[in-house]
Every structure is written in C-alpha cells, then in structure tokens.
C-alpha cells in the first residue's frame, strides 16, 4: 500500500461552496467526490473529482486527487513509491502527474510513457551531475531496445532563448531522432519550457515527459503544457501549448535545491491559496515554517494540492481563454521586473512575489478587498523570505513599457488578475480604474 502524501497534520482542508457572480470572477471552493476515468487510457490509480456551483450560469469541476494505494499486481515495484497521482483531464491528451519519493528509481513509470526506441534527455549543467545517470538508468533498465542521448545546456533564465533552443534541435538532428522519439525534460522551469517547445516543434511534434527538479517547476511550470522561450523585450512571448505524456515528481530532488530556489517555489504555492483555495492558504500560514524547513510531509501536501488546483484549471481552460489566466496573479508585474531588471537577476518566484504584493495593493486601492488580506499576504511572503517590493531600479516607465507587451493585453487594454471579495476569489479583467494602477506603480517605484 502506498503511503499517504499527507499525514494527519497536513490533511486536506475543504471549504463550503460559495456562489460567485460576474463575467471574470473565479471562486473554487471544495465539494464532494466522484470517480474520474481517464478517457481512452487506463491507469491503476484512483483519482477523484468533485463538483461545485461557481455561478448561477456555470457548473465548474474541481479535481481533488487523493493519496491511495497503487494496486496493480503486475507493477508491484510502483506501489511503495507513488503516494499520489493527479490526473490532468484533457480527453485524449490527458496525462498523470506522479508524486512521490524515489520515483527516479522506478523504471516502469518512465518506460510506460516512452514512444519509440529513441530518447533525448534535455537537462542543464547543474542538474546533469545529480540526476542524469539515474534517469538514463530508469529509461534503459530491462529495456535494451531503447537508446538514450542527452543535451546539456547552461543553467539560468538568461539562456531561455532561441540560441539555446537551436542547440536542442542540433542534438536531435545529429542523433537522428525520428517522429517516434521521446524528449525528456530533466530540470526546472527553464528546461521544462524549452524542452516542451522543442518537442512541439521538432518534426512538428514528438512525445515528451516532464521530470521537474525544483519546487517551482513541480507545483507550476511542468503542469499544463505551456512551453516556450523568452524574447529580450518580453518573457514567454514565443511558444506553444503542448502537453506532456506524464509529469514525474520525485520529491527527493528537493533535497539538493538551494534555499533561495525553495523559497521561490513557495511563492507559487502561496498564489494558489490567494486566487482559489482559501483553506489551502490558511494551511500555508500554519505550516510556512515547516515548508521552509523542508518537512517532507508538508512539502508533499503542498505539491499535491498545488497540482490539483492547476490540473483543475487546465482541464477547464487548456489554452487560457480566460479562466487559466487567473493562475498568473502577480505575473504581469513580475514579468515586467524580470525583463526590466534582466532575466536571471531575480528568480521567477521572487519577481512574482513582489508582483503579487503589487496586485494585492491595487486590489485594495480599488476597494475590492479589505486590509486584512493585504496584511496576511505581506506577512506570509516575509516569512517565506521573498521580496515584497520590486528592485529599486524599476521605474514607473519601465513597468509600463514592459506591461504594454504583456501576453494578456487585448485590443490595447491591459488585463490583470486581481483579488476581489473574500480570500480565495479573484478576477481577470481589464475593467478597472486605471488611476489605481498608476497609484500602485507610484507607491512602489521611486520615479
């Protein structure tokens, strides 16, 4: 029987359903469970899905994967390792997210998702010495017909560009990878985004697998199929929606993660609580010290609950027609910081943390939230040792220039994700008083 991803201390918390009105407002409280069957494919795992009424016009679904035994007698080696499987329900593009300890040493989990006989592992100079050999072993153990090549690229956000992408293509072509090959992303968000974009583009699309090794990538970027590279003028402007075959999260990889990277990932965990899961945010407030101390039970639950939240949103809005954009709380301000300050100067989660504070400040200036939420956001981010103000070099003009080319601009209007109503509710809208945006920028910038 698989061990539960959450102990009695870190048990899932549910909240009563609350009605939400308005075109852009999003609120996702908990609800009861029914079985979820993956369309077209079968896995020996139990995943649950619940339903809640989010407005008088729509019924929205909520994925709530539970930690359960893995009970396939032909795959006994999997049972002691996998504690949770979250299913991303996208019809014939659905895929599982495996979460557990020691998963890199369970060959079947990777091999069942490999298409063809050729594999290209994309990783970086930091991760390769730690995990590349183990992944190659997992891909080939008892499977002599599969051959594995790898490409190791420099580590850092500043290398998430077209030049580095071409190195992946170069290796794939030199290795004679064909249409039935599989790309494997081994690393953090930069590796996952670039490998996924390469897989979407190489011979117009090949299979790929995500093996995220940072908390940031485990709770956010590896899930949902957003792939791409940065442009010097704007972050993530070039890319594609392309779903992986699976996401394999070995929580043991967090043991080698620097403290600053861990805190960066916690920033994204906090985001889920603010926009759609108030009970999860309350849990975070009680357990932030345990997360920073790398308590294994706390981290496992935080990853599980974050993946459940994102899987639900992606299942409802794969290509970001509206709902999925709410996952970008603070990102418009944060991306402006990253491009204006210079890619890699701040980690993504650090920039988003400062961006969330700015988004919360603007929400308060609009009269959409009360001051208690502002204070709680400041408090938890400070405890997580994350920035609550942008770098001093960021000016109002720098923010406005970067935000003008944000992906969420439509017909010349900058749409933002802002909090509105009780904790756990947000809006994605361009219908706001621009005076509040100006006041927020002036409050956080020297000029």
């Amino acid at each position: 029987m698989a061990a539960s991803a959450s102990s009695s201390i870190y048990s899932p918390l549910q909240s009563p359903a609350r009605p939400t009105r308005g075109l852009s407002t999003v609120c996702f409280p908990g609800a009861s469970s029914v079985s979820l069957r993956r369309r077209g494919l079968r896995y020996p795992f139990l995943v649950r899905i619940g339903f809640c009424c989010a407005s008088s016009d729509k019924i929205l679904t909520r994925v709530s994967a539970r930690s359960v035994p893995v009970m396939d007698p032909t795959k006994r080696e999997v049972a002691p390792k996998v504690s949770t499987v979250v299913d991303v329900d996208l019809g014939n593009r659905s895929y599982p997210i495996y979460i557990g300890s020691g998963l890199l040493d369970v060959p079947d989990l990777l091999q069942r998702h490999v298409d063809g006989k050729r594999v290209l592992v994309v990783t970086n100079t930091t991760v390769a010495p730690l995990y590349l050999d183990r992944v190659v072993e997992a891909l080939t153990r008892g499977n002599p017909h599969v051959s594995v090549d790898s490409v190791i690229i420099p580590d850092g956000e500043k290398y998430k560009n077209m030049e580095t992408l071409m190195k992946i293509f170069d290796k794939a072509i030199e290795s004679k990878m064909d249409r039935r090959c599989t790309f494997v992303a081994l690393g953090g968000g930069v590796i996952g985004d670039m490998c996924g974009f390469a897989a979407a583009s190489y011979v117009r699309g090949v299979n790929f697998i995500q093996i995220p090794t940072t908390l940031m990538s485990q709770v956010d970027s590896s899930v949902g199929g957003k792939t791409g590279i940065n442009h010097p003028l704007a972050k993530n402007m070039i890319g594609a929606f392309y779903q992986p075959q699976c996401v394999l999260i070995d929580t043991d990889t967090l043991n080698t993660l620097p403290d600053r990277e861990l805190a960066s990932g916690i920033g994204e965990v906090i985001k889920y609580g603010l926009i759609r899961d108030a009970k999860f945010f309350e849990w975070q407030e009680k357990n932030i010290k345990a997360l920073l101390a790398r308590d294994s039970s706390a981290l496992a639950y935080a990853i599980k609950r974050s993946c459940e939240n994102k899987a639900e949103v992606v299942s409802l809005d794969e290509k970001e027609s509206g709902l999925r954009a709410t996952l970008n709380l603070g990102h418009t301000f944060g991306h402006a910081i990253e491009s204006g300050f210079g890619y890699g100067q701040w980690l993504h989660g650090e920039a988003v943390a400062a961006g969330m504070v700015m988004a919360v400040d603007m929400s308060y200036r609009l009269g959409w939230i009360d001051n208690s939420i502002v204070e709680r956001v400041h408090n938890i981010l400070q405890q997580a040792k994350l920035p609550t103000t942008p770098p001093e070099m960021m000016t109002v003009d720098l923010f406005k220039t970067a935000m003008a080319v944000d992906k969420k601009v439509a017909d010349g209007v900058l749409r933002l994700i802002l909090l509105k109503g009780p904790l756990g509710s947000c809006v994605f809208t361009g219908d706001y008083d621009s005076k509040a945006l100006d006041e927020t920028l002036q409050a956080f910038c020297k000029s």
Side-chain angles (χ1 to χ4, degrees):
M1 179 175 292
S4 171
S6 56
S7 67
S8 58
I9 298 175
Y10 307 107
S11 59
L13 299 168
Q14 294 187 351
S15 58
R18 296 192 303 267
T20 303
R21 293 187 177 276
L23 180 63
S24 301
T25 304
V26 180
C27 179
F28 298 92
S32 60
S33 299
V34 298
S35 296
L36 172 66
R37 291 190 297 273
R38 178 172 179 174
R39 303 171 196 170
L41 293 173
R42 296 180 65 187
Y43 288 90
F45 308 105
L46 177 65
V47 181
R48 303 269 180 187
I49 185 169
F51 299 90
C52 67
C53 181
S55 73
S56 59
D57 303 314
K58 298 179 181 179
I59 298 294
L60 300 179
T61 59
R62 175 172 194 162
V63 173
S64 181
R66 296 187 177 183
S67 303
V68 296
V70 180
M71 303 176 65
D72 182 355
T74 67
K75 307 294 183 184
R76 291 188 185 277
E77 63 180 329
V78 180
K81 301 290 185 178
V82 177
S83 57
T84 301
V85 180
V86 177
D87 200 271
V88 182
D89 184 19
L90 292 169
N92 61 7
R93 296 182 313 286
S94 297
Y95 56 92
I97 306 168
Y98 304 114
I99 305 170
S101 171
L103 300 192
L104 291 184
D105 300 316
V106 185
D108 174 71
L109 286 181
L110 286 177
Q111 292 183 16
R112 69 174 63 181
H113 297 287
V114 170
D115 187 27
K117 299 180 180 180
R118 305 298 308 282
V119 176
L120 179 65
V121 179
V122 180
T123 187
N124 64 35
T125 51
T126 299
V127 175
L130 298 171
Y131 303 115
L132 179 57
D133 288 346
R134 287 174 63 187
V135 170
V136 172
E137 165 69 11
L139 288 164
T140 57
R141 188 191 311 166
N143 196 14
H145 301 296
V146 168
S147 63
V148 181
D149 289 279
S150 63
V151 55
I152 302 172
I153 62 179
D155 185 13
E157 184 79 26
K158 64 182 179 180
Y159 298 107
K160 187 179 168 182
N161 54 33
M162 189 65 72
E163 181 181 358
T164 308
L165 183 69
M166 286 300 141
K167 293 180 181 179
I168 300 174
F169 291 138
D170 290 345
K171 184 63 178 181
I173 295 170
E174 291 168 0
S175 301
K176 297 181 173 58
M177 295 286 164
D178 57 26
R179 290 181 182 274
R180 295 198 66 231
C181 72
T182 298
F183 285 13
V184 175
L186 174 63
V190 171
I191 289 293
D193 283 2
M194 294 191 67
C195 180
F197 189 30
S201 307
Y202 187 68
V203 292
R204 298 183 177 87
V206 297
N207 281 7
F208 93 105
I209 293 169
Q210 287 269 21
I211 307 179
T213 60
T214 65
L215 183 60
M216 171 68 70
S217 57
Q218 290 175 357
V219 301
D220 184 61
S221 61
S222 67
V223 180
K226 275 190 177 181
T227 72
I229 58 175
N230 298 330
H231 186 278
L233 297 179
K235 185 178 172 71
N236 292 332
M237 287 296 286
I238 304 165
F241 288 98
Y242 197 67
Q243 302 296 341
Q245 297 299 302
C246 74
V247 179
L248 189 147
I249 298 175
D250 187 335
T251 54
D252 291 350
T253 60
L254 298 181
N255 294 336
T256 58
L257 194 65
D259 289 344
R260 186 181 173 194
E261 291 273 6
L262 182 75
S264 176
I266 290 173
E268 288 285 356
V269 173
I270 291 169
K271 171 199 71 179
Y272 290 112
L274 291 175
I275 63 171
R276 66 191 318 273
D277 196 340
K279 290 296 183 182
F280 186 31
F281 185 80
E282 292 170 6
W283 176 90
Q284 294 164 22
E285 290 179 309
K286 296 174 182 177
N287 293 283
I288 188 66
K289 291 182 180 178
L291 291 171
L292 292 168
R294 301 173 189 257
D295 180 278
S296 59
S297 296
L299 285 171
Y301 178 65
I303 295 166
K304 168 183 175 289
R305 193 71 201 100
S306 297
C307 286
E308 288 171 352
N309 272 294
K310 186 157 189 181
E312 178 186 338
V313 172
V314 171
S315 297
L316 294 168
D317 181 16
E318 180 183 4
K319 296 189 175 180
E320 202 168 291
S321 59
L323 173 63
R324 184 169 178 173
T326 61
L327 295 173
N328 291 323
L329 175 70
H331 284 57
T332 301
F333 296 101
H335 287 170
I337 292 170
E338 288 184 272
S339 61
F341 194 24
Y343 294 124
Q345 296 298 313
W346 272 18
L347 298 176
H348 176 64
E350 293 170 337
V352 167
M356 285 194 294
V357 173
M358 296 177 74
V360 169
D361 177 87
M362 182 174 168
S363 302
Y364 178 70
R365 291 177 187 276
L366 289 166
W368 291 356
I369 59 173
D370 61 46
N371 191 54
S372 66
I373 295 178
V374 178
E375 292 178 351
R376 291 171 73 181
V377 171
H378 270 272
N379 183 52
I380 195 169
L381 290 175
Q382 287 175 344
Q383 287 188 70
K385 302 177 183 178
L386 287 165
T388 56
T389 58
E392 290 186 1
M393 54 77 59
M394 289 298 296
T395 65
V396 171
D397 286 342
L398 267 177
F399 266 109
K400 288 189 173 182
T401 298
M403 294 165 77
V405 292
D406 186 85
K407 297 187 298 299
K408 293 177 287 299
V409 171
D411 297 324
V413 176
L414 174 63
R415 297 175 295 171
L416 294 169
I417 298 87
L418 301 168
L419 301 187
K420 189 172 187 179
L423 185 70
S425 301
C426 68
V427 294
F428 172 48
T429 183
D431 186 14
Y432 53 81
D433 186 347
S434 60
K435 180 182 177 182
L437 174 59
D438 289 339
E439 289 176 349
T440 291
L441 292 177
Q442 290 166 6
F444 282 87
C445 300
K446 289 187 175 181
S447 59

